[in-house]
Amino acid sequence: MQTPAANAPPIRIVLADDHGLVMFGIKALLSQIPGVTVVAEARDGAELVAAVDTHQPDIVLTDIGMPGMDGLTAIAELHARHPRVRLVVISAHHTADFVRRAVESGACGYLTKDASSSELAQAVRSIMATGSYFSGLIARRLLEPAQATAGDDLTERQIEILGMLARGMASKEIAHELGLSSKTVDVHRSRMMERLGVRDVAGLTRYAIRMNLVAP
């Protein structure tokens, strides 16, 4: 892999993830790439949009499931406001639906959170050189035929909460586990019911079982 020229300007990155340890780990890996600097960090979509407005980075690396404004919403907003900024998803989820929705929102790259440090470096260089990066796995996901999954209707965070609700966890327990407020969990639950056309947690549970989010 080519190293940047000594006089080349640094590649400026804004990083967004609502899990502190994950953010720390990704930032540490980025710090090992010559010529790369993280200029700002964000814990949700609103913070991410504000950070990009302020710092005008070259690349955004963002998770999808974040409280408040999620990553896909933030990507769509940033793609409209800052079309020259390269928007890249880095997520634990890599179903065909999530990848397609990210690309449709304006993402030019997609990485999984189990990517190696060398792949992360390759992705950054490729995005700066060619404008995009998709690993072999993600490229195959994009070629898969569309199938009905929970991701067709819900955000990544809502899928996470749905699985917990279906396992019998209360809003307070879910809020504690995810670092959210109980009110935020209740809002997500209400939105899921509205979007899926169900009236109670039992309906959500049946949907979760049908989509293989929990065992029957």
Side-chain angles (χ1 to χ4, degrees), residues 22 29 43 59 62 70 72-73 83 102 116 124 126 132 135-136 149 152 157 162 169 181-182 194 200 205:
V22 174
L29 292 176
R43 296 299 180 95
I59 296 174
T62 181
D70 64 30
L72 291 179
T73 304
S116 65
V124 169
S126 177
S132 67
S135 69
T149 67
D152 291 331
R157 174 64 83 190
L162 175 59
M169 294 178 67
S181 69
S182 295
E194 180 180 357
D200 50 29
T205 300

Side-chain angles (χ1 to χ4, degrees), residues 21-193:
L21 287 176
V22 174
M23 179 102 73
F24 179 83
I26 297 172
K27 186 177 180 181
L29 292 176
L30 289 170
S31 71
Q32 298 173 16
I33 305 174
V36 170
T37 181
V38 175
V39 296
E41 302 169 23
R43 296 299 180 95
D44 58 45
E47 285 187 8
L48 174 58
V49 171
V52 174
D53 285 345
T54 299
H55 295 280
Q56 300 288 315
D58 300 297
I59 296 174
V60 165
L61 286 175
T62 181
D63 193 10
I64 294 176
M66 297 185 291
M69 182 190 292
D70 64 30
L72 291 179
T73 304
I75 286 172
E77 177 75 14
L78 289 171
H79 185 60
R81 295 167 68 156
H82 305 284
R84 294 186 179 180
V85 175
R86 297 161 176 88
L87 306 167
V88 182
V89 169
I90 182 163
S91 174
H93 296 273
H94 48 78
T95 65
D97 174 68
F98 274 124
V99 177
R100 287 193 187 97
R101 288 169 63 188
V103 172
E104 289 168 0
S105 296
C108 67
Y110 201 111
L111 283 166
T112 59
K113 285 187 175 178
D114 60 358
S116 65
S117 58
S118 60
E119 183 181 6
L120 180 60
Q122 179 186 355
V124 169
R125 300 295 179 211
S126 177
I127 288 162
M128 291 303 297
T130 70
S132 67
Y133 178 84
F134 297 94
S135 69
L137 170 63
I138 298 302
R140 288 194 297 274
R141 290 288 185 267
L142 285 170
L143 294 174
E144 290 178 2
Q147 298 178 346
T149 67
D152 291 331
D153 301 299
L154 306 176
T155 67
E156 183 178 7
R157 174 64 83 190
Q158 287 170 345
I159 291 172
E160 192 172 20
I161 292 172
L162 175 59
M164 293 179 171
L165 286 170
R167 291 193 296 272
M169 294 178 67
S171 292
K172 288 184 178 180
E173 294 176 293
I174 296 171
H176 177 75
E177 181 74 18
L178 300 180
L180 305 173
S181 69
S182 295
K183 183 178 179 180
T184 297
V185 173
D186 289 339
V187 168
H188 277 301
R189 183 179 60 193
S190 296
R191 288 177 179 171
M192 284 189 285
M193 289 179 179

